[in-house]
Amino acid sequence: MPPQHGPRRARIAFSDAAAKQLENLTSEAELHALDRALVVLSVDPEAGILIPGTTAGPQLRQYTDDVEQVRILYFVTALRTVVIVAYVEV
């Protein structure tokens, strides 16, 4: 019997603004916190809550991890790609 694979994880992409924020991360703790949050979003792109606003275009979501002190603003594309708009340390 072939091995069973779990569900496909979402792909993570970064906007230019988010990529710029990543360049400024210097501590291991910040990188670890961001990595944990990205794993959550890759497994469950709907983990964050919808940010109220317009329904035109992609709907922004916010994922907050209170333990790691991370907040990520993102949207999910039709192909389940999670596009990180901003990474903000809470």
Side-chain angles (χ1 to χ4, degrees):
M1 177 178 250
Q4 296 291 329
H5 296 285
R8 185 177 85 97
R9 286 187 174 199
R11 185 174 167 260
I12 304 287
F14 295 92
S15 70
D16 291 341
K20 190 108 175 129
Q21 288 177 327
L22 288 175
E23 292 174 5
N24 295 328
L25 296 181
T26 56
S27 77
E28 286 291 320
E30 290 175 325
L31 293 172
H32 176 73
L34 179 59
D35 282 345
R36 283 180 47 108
L38 294 177
V39 167
V40 170
L41 293 178
S42 72
V43 171
D44 182 10
E46 307 297 321
I49 59 170
L50 286 174
I51 296 174
T54 179
T55 57
Q59 289 194 297
L60 282 178
R61 300 183 77 84
Q62 173 179 272
Y63 173 76
T64 304
D65 182 332
D66 294 328
V67 173
E68 294 288 347
Q69 300 297 301
V70 173
R71 182 173 67 150
I72 296 177
L73 302 178
Y74 68 100
F75 64 89
V76 182
T77 68
L79 297 175
R80 284 185 43 102
T81 297
V82 175
V83 179
I84 307 298
V85 176
Y87 159 76
V88 180
E89 185 173 10
V90 177

